[in-house]
Amino acid sequence: MAISLQRVPGEYAVHRLAPDADIPTQVWAAPFVSVSRSRDELSIVTGNGVDIASESKVGPWLAYRVPGAIDFSATGIMAALTAPLAEAGIGILGISTYDTDYLLVDADAGEAAEIAWSAAGIEVE
């Protein structure tokens, strides 16, 4: 199975807020946004320049997406994408949506991540 990635424009940050916090409306301005709530936290991924009052912020990150929709019966995609990065010592934040998968890497590791993916036969657009 051939896997490719597309770089999502911009840089991103991951914010941690209290689990009962409201989602600030300004987060929706970024080209990619992810919001997850659990009983322990509210996590928001949004543009690195979006200013929200969060308990903690980590970034900047670069975002990459698997183009197109991935069938729910497909297996091994995230493993194939993360294995080369693990071998290169590059940490990730993985996010799956209904249609596809996203991987975020520290902006300082973006070039090394793309080299690792390329060496593993994963094309990055």
Side-chain angles (χ1 to χ4, degrees):
M1 149 181 49
I3 301 174
S4 64
L5 288 168
Q6 293 175 329
R7 170 95 188 281
V8 180
E11 291 186 339
Y12 297 85
V14 182
H15 297 265
R16 183 187 196 283
L17 291 85
D20 59 347
D22 291 329
I23 300 167
T25 57
Q26 64 266 38
V27 304
W28 305 113
F32 173 71
V33 176
S34 178
V35 177
S36 298
R37 186 185 311 266
S38 72
R39 66 183 187 103
D40 300 319
E41 66 175 310
L42 171 63
S43 292
I44 299 175
V45 177
T46 188
N48 191 49
V50 175
D51 186 31
I52 62 175
S54 56
E55 297 174 358
S56 178
K57 173 185 173 183
V58 180
W61 296 78
L62 301 179
Y64 299 85
R65 71 181 297 276
V66 177
I70 302 171
D71 189 275
F72 280 100
S73 64
T75 60
I77 294 172
M78 200 55 104
L81 293 170
T82 58
L85 300 186
E87 289 176 22
I90 300 170
I92 63 109
L93 172 63
I95 299 172
S96 294
T97 66
Y98 188 92
D99 284 339
T100 194
D101 294 329
Y102 291 80
L103 280 94
L104 280 72
V105 300
D106 186 283
D108 290 338
E111 184 177 351
E114 291 186 20
I115 291 169
W117 282 320
S118 179
I122 298 168
E123 180 184 345
V124 180
E125 300 173 24

